Amino acid sequence: MNGRVVSLQVIRGNHADPSFVDRVRAIPGEGLEGDWHRGRGARSVLLMHAGDVRDLGVRPGDLREQITVHLPGLMKLTPGTRLRIGPATLEITGECIGCTHIGEHVGVDDVEAFRQALQGRRGMLARVLEADGEPIQIGDSVEILPA
């Protein structure tokens, strides 16, 4: 199963709006260059499937993900699964659990109903294992690597 990068966002500070970028450099052991989540280990990068973003009625970046991918089955990947995203290798560390304030950030009327709707669709957290110095770009392929 392969996919592609459809949107890239960098969150430059706590509660900052995402900045949309065409490319971003992944830094092994740290995360994405210029992103506020850099250095958070297992929680450095959040990936979301574009279909879930669409079905939830939000836009890429609204849910604070840095990489929006077209990769059906993303939410079924298990921790330890490695993905090759353009020139970088990321490792899935677990599912992101919908926080209590994400609905407020998005501006929905019923924040609790929105949080419930996110269950099983909030995205997958990852860390950067390897990168060759070249940036991840919109349109890059996403490949699930063999175990």
Side-chain angles (χ1 to χ4, degrees), residues 8-68:
L8 294 166
Q9 299 75 229
V10 175
I11 291 93
R12 302 206 187 272
N14 191 18
H15 302 291
D17 289 333
S19 297
F20 293 89
V21 296
D22 292 328
R23 61 183 51 93
V24 65
R25 202 165 62 91
I27 303 167
E30 294 189 27
L32 302 180
E33 187 172 61
D35 191 83
W36 184 75
H37 300 91
R38 183 174 160 187
R40 291 194 172 187
R43 300 182 59 83
S44 294
V45 180
L46 178 59
L47 301 126
M48 283 204 62
H49 171 54
D52 288 332
V53 170
R54 180 196 62 237
D55 292 348
L56 289 163
V58 296
R59 297 167 302 173
D62 281 351
L63 297 176
R64 320 297 287 164
E65 82 277 8
Q66 294 99 333
I67 305 176
T68 313

Side-chain angles (χ1 to χ4, degrees), residues 2-6 8 22-26 32 47 67-69 71 82-90 128 130-145:
N2 292 327
R4 66 181 172 78
V5 175
V6 298
L8 294 166
D22 292 328
R23 61 183 51 93
V24 65
R25 202 165 62 91
L32 302 180
L47 301 126
I67 305 176
T68 313
V69 296
L71 186 65
R82 293 180 178 195
L83 300 173
R84 184 80 177 160
I85 302 177
T89 301
L90 280 67
V128 179
E130 300 173 2
D132 68 4
E134 293 297 315
I136 296 170
Q137 300 182 64
I138 293 174
D140 274 351
S141 66
V142 177
E143 178 186 359
I144 299 170
L145 299 176

